Amino acid sequence: LLAETFPDAKVRCTDLAPDMVSQAEARVKALGISGRVTCQVLDMQSMSGISDASMDVVTVSFGLMFAPNLAAALSEIHRVLVPGGVMTASVWLEMPMIPMLGKVMTKVLGHSPPPPPINPLSLAAEEALRIPLSDAGFDMVSDEKGTLDFSLGSDPEESWKMGTLPVASKLKEMEAEGKYGDVMSIAKQAFEEEVASWKDVEGVVRVPTGTYRLVICVKT
């Protein structure tokens, strides 16, 4: 979207997950903008491959809450931005998929799962993001709330893959351990049961409205 909106801009699209980067590369190729967009696997907590003060804008879409070391991630973003550079970041305030996935994992485990090591809603509280941003050297110039509706499609396999992406690695790990039975079959059945009420008349899985926070900050 950035590359399409700003045709003279050079965009670097990054993610820690190789699968996500592969999807981005396919999208970039389909749009015919490979010459202006670079896709790469990158940890925002350690962006050593990006030079100091080399980026005008950094966007983090629903990613900061997944950084084990938020201070390190914000420090790196601050480092790569030019003086006066802008960072935009979105974080979840409410996300219906989180409790749904908790129910799926309960079916697999036979009991309620422990709290996730990284909570997708960990930055929902106002001060949870405001204070770290200030400590990292950012001046928050905008702080807004919004809502987001999206679907998981109508194809059962694609819906399953997209809807369970946050717990996919854990499910594979449990399957490899061999202590929880047919993990994938149990999880798929539980997933189908949980999202059945989300399907519209055409069979499209429409996730209930989520609420997010969007902040815009300037490097000071």
Side-chain angles (χ1 to χ4, degrees):
L1 180 59
L2 283 172
E4 290 179 294
T5 305
F6 303 100
D8 295 327
K10 290 188 179 298
V11 178
R12 188 185 298 250
C13 181
T14 70
D15 198 283
L16 185 60
D19 286 349
M20 295 295 284
V21 174
S22 295
Q23 291 182 41
E25 288 175 330
R27 175 68 172 162
V28 167
K29 184 177 181 180
L31 291 172
I33 53 176
S34 300
R36 296 190 293 109
V37 180
T38 301
C39 299
Q40 69 179 106
V41 176
L42 188 71
D43 185 345
M44 63 179 159
Q45 300 168 118
S46 179
M47 298 187 285
S48 57
I50 301 179
S51 303
D52 294 0
S54 60
M55 296 288 162
D56 296 305
V57 178
V58 171
T59 67
V60 189
S61 180
F62 302 107
L64 288 178
M65 56 277 198
F66 296 116
N69 188 334
L70 178 60
L74 293 175
S75 176
E76 277 292 87
I77 294 170
H78 189 275
R79 177 185 66 79
V80 303
L81 279 170
V82 299
V86 175
M87 178 189 74
T88 69
S90 54
V91 298
W92 288 115
L93 298 178
E94 296 177 317
M95 181 49 182
M97 282 184 62
I98 303 305
M100 179 275 290
L101 289 173
K103 293 177 182 178
V104 170
M105 295 304 290
T106 296
K107 291 285 183 67
V108 175
L109 290 167
H111 57 79
S112 298
I118 299 177
N119 181 4
L121 303 179
S122 62
L123 298 179
E126 193 275 335
E127 67 277 6
L129 189 55
R130 177 181 57 80
I131 294 174
L133 284 169
S134 178
D135 290 345
F138 286 101
D139 181 19
M140 188 185 298
V141 297
S142 177
D143 185 359
E144 301 178 354
K145 292 181 180 179
T147 58
L148 183 64
D149 297 291
F150 64 94
S151 77
L152 300 177
S154 58
D155 179 81
E157 189 65 21
E158 287 302 312
S159 296
W160 150 258
K161 288 180 180 179
M162 291 174 60
T164 58
L165 187 61
V167 296
S169 60
K170 184 62 178 179
L171 289 173
K172 290 177 182 177
E173 178 184 315
M174 294 170 65
E175 185 178 43
E177 289 177 3
K179 299 189 301 184
Y180 302 94
D182 190 345
V183 170
M184 292 304 177
S185 293
I186 296 172
K188 280 187 176 182
Q189 181 177 344
F191 175 80
E192 281 297 322
E193 292 172 355
E194 292 299 327
V195 303
S197 63
W198 294 359
K199 292 182 179 180
D200 63 17
V201 293
E202 296 179 345
V204 177
V205 179
R206 299 195 180 279
V207 180
T209 300
T211 306
Y212 66 89
R213 179 183 183 189
L214 175 65
V215 299
I216 300 176
C217 307
V218 175
K219 174 179 177 176
T220 57

